[in-house]
Amino acid sequence: AVHAQGDTAVDSHHTVEDVGLVLGDAVDRALGDRKGIHRYGHALTPMDDALAQVVVDLSRRPYLVFHVPACHSAERSFNSPLAKEFFKSVANRAGMNLHISVSYGENEHHILEAVFKSFGRALQQAVRVDPRSRGVRSSKGSL
């Protein structure tokens, strides 16, 4: 569980960014040396009018690709630009190569819900221990 308190009376940017940083740190610590994990994960998730795809590589080479359609939404508390900041913070601190792509969607709430569900499913796949692998999935032998 994450409990955050921030300057949300001004805006949510710093609080969302800080939560992403903390979550990224937690993922990095939980993975340790990353030996034996699948390393890669992907998920494609529909949510009503939206379809989101997330691909993760726990490579220790942080990078974010965020292709989400621009929406004109009345949603003020959380929106696509804030989601991008959140995922950038997570990717940087977790050492994650993260690709987020939404093929289509009109409702920003549905788009972001599909993105977050895909992210969770892709991350779950990437962190799973592969009983066939004892080392790190890298031709260099380290991440």
Side-chain angles (χ1 to χ4, degrees):
V2 175
H3 298 279
Q5 186 175 352
D7 55 353
T8 56
V10 176
D11 67 25
S12 298
H13 176 90
H14 293 113
T15 304
V16 169
E17 182 180 35
D18 289 348
V19 169
L21 293 170
V22 168
L23 182 60
D25 285 341
V27 168
D28 185 49
R29 277 194 305 272
L31 293 174
D33 62 11
R34 302 182 187 213
K35 287 183 180 175
I37 63 170
H38 279 272
R39 179 178 159 180
Y40 300 99
H42 69 279
L44 191 63
T45 306
M47 177 55 56
D48 296 342
D49 58 296
L51 182 65
Q53 175 176 297
V54 173
V55 181
V56 173
D57 175 9
L58 298 173
S59 62
R60 293 197 194 268
R61 291 187 304 278
Y63 197 84
L64 173 66
V65 174
F66 190 81
H67 291 172
V68 174
C71 293
H72 302 290
S73 171
E75 184 64 42
R76 294 176 192 213
S77 61
F78 196 81
N79 55 30
S80 293
L82 283 175
K84 182 176 182 179
E85 288 304 314
F86 171 80
F87 285 115
K88 183 169 70 171
S89 298
V90 171
N92 283 334
R93 288 291 180 91
M96 175 186 303
N97 191 288
L98 177 59
H99 292 250
I100 298 170
S101 180
V102 175
S103 302
Y104 47 82
E106 295 177 20
N107 181 297
E108 188 171 37
H109 176 87
H110 297 157
I111 289 169
L112 294 178
E113 189 170 346
V115 166
F116 275 90
K117 287 180 177 183
S118 283
F119 175 69
R121 293 175 55 227
L123 185 59
Q124 179 185 35
Q125 192 178 94
V127 302
R128 278 195 188 131
V129 173
D130 183 348
R132 300 170 299 161
S133 176
R134 296 190 207 311
V136 174
R137 288 188 183 252
S138 171
S139 58
K140 298 176 291 189
S142 66
L143 292 175

